[in-house]
Amino acid sequence: MALLTANFRSAALAHETAVNIILPEGCPEEDIPTVFLLHGMHGDHSSWVRKTCIERYAAERRLAVVMPDGENSFYADMKYGKKYFTYVSEELVDYVRKILRLSRKRERTFVCGLSMGGYGAFKLAMKKPEQYAAAASLSGCLDIAARLDNCPWQREATAIWGDDFATSVRGSDDDLLMLMRRFDDPALPRPRLYAACGTEDGLYGSNLVFKEAVENTELEFRFEASPGIHNWVFWDRNVVPALDFFLERKLK
């Protein structure tokens, strides 16, 4: 495997940014299956590489892994800030596919994240289901509206969603519980979803709310609960079944 760091100017963000990429070596085809892997709050593009064995896990599965910097944006086009949803879902995908031999096929493109990134992964997959075959959330903030009702990070929430964040998110396209309803349309491609959360995690209840809601839809969803808290021990252990979930379907 090769570990690359690309520094480039993002038009969506209007500044220089960095992305780490794990790339399988010796792949003759220009069709490498790819996981876009998102960090949580207060992390950056280096978090997964520094704190987990993701390089080894990717090598064992012959996967490319793309790890962007999303700051504390919740991977949104922020009300008072930068356009991180546009960056991650459009500009970054196009950029890494141009400079590397990464697959352009939906069935070989996946997104995963932890905490804030778990929310971001599900939002990306449900807003752009034509682009991602599957998504995984590890300890994700999946009931964002309830979290914002008693928000411990009000400054960041205001920058992301505006001064009325506690009411504006509920029922919008930033609310995963609302977003899943769009898949009542049978013509829309449906991403497979995987979530894992520790039973001692403060976001465990949020995951159970999402689980109950998604089971009333046509979306394929798998949930794994196990002892654990909101930390890298849990995420390092549980990213492995998430990657295997992506590869369960035969890649075409």
Side-chain angles (χ1 to χ4, degrees):
M1 304 292 283
L3 174 61
L4 314 175
T5 300
N7 297 87
F8 68 102
R9 181 172 177 79
S10 162
L13 303 178
H15 65 70
E16 296 284 328
T17 190
V19 56
N20 275 344
I21 304 164
I22 297 169
L23 189 68
E25 296 177 348
C27 294
E29 75 284 0
E30 295 190 2
D31 196 23
I32 302 170
T34 306
V35 177
F36 290 85
L37 188 59
L38 311 180
H39 64 77
M41 286 192 80
H42 313 299
D44 66 12
H45 66 288
S46 71
S47 297
W48 277 99
V49 170
R50 290 187 294 114
K51 298 178 180 180
T52 73
C53 296
I54 188 62
E55 186 173 356
R56 175 162 59 85
Y57 304 149
E60 292 167 351
R61 292 159 180 80
R62 305 296 290 164
L63 288 167
V65 181
V66 178
M67 295 161 282
D69 187 347
E71 298 191 63
N72 292 331
S73 68
F74 263 75
Y75 302 95
D77 283 350
M78 302 170 70
K79 181 76 172 181
Y80 305 118
K82 303 162 190 174
K83 295 183 177 181
Y84 270 102
F85 184 82
T86 299
Y87 165 63
V88 173
S89 68
E90 298 177 12
E91 185 180 20
L92 176 67
V93 174
D94 290 342
Y95 179 77
V96 295
R97 285 174 172 175
K98 285 177 182 177
I99 66 170
L100 301 168
R101 299 196 306 273
L102 305 186
S103 181
R104 296 177 179 271
K105 297 177 182 176
R106 175 184 183 267
E107 60 268 24
R108 298 171 76 86
T109 305
F110 315 102
V111 59
C112 176
L114 69 91
S115 194
M116 177 186 84
Y119 164 86
F122 275 13
K123 179 180 170 182
L124 285 162
M126 287 196 282
K127 290 194 75 169
K128 288 190 168 287
E130 73 285 354
Q131 184 159 270
Y132 305 99
S137 164
L138 308 179
S139 310
C141 188
L142 302 184
D143 185 4
I144 188 65
R147 185 69 169 170
L148 294 178
D149 283 339
N150 187 23
C151 184
W153 28 271
Q154 295 189 14
R155 183 180 66 177
E156 290 87 350
T158 299
I160 298 165
W161 293 292
D163 301 279
D164 60 344
F165 62 81
T167 56
S168 65
V169 169
R170 190 179 299 276
S172 74
D173 274 359
D174 290 321
D175 184 346
L176 299 182
L177 303 183
M178 178 62 68
L179 198 55
M180 66 175 67
R181 297 182 186 177
R182 65 193 301 247
F183 294 97
D184 291 341
D185 180 356
L188 204 62
R190 293 175 178 146
R192 297 184 298 123
L193 303 177
Y194 174 92
C197 192
T199 51
E200 291 74 46
D201 193 309
L203 292 176
Y204 182 61
S206 175
N207 279 251
L208 294 181
V209 169
F210 183 89
K211 176 179 181 292
E212 182 177 356
V214 77
E215 287 175 347
N216 293 318
T217 73
E218 296 299 319
L219 288 166
E220 180 181 339
F221 176 70
R222 186 182 305 170
F223 180 64
E224 300 288 346
S226 60
I229 60 174
H230 206 74
N231 66 9
W232 283 102
V233 173
F234 184 87
W235 302 324
D236 182 55
R237 182 171 67 243
N238 284 276
V239 74
V240 174
L243 298 178
D244 290 338
F245 175 80
F246 293 154
L247 300 177
E248 281 180 355
R249 301 288 174 85
K250 184 177 180 181
L251 298 180
K252 298 178 181 179

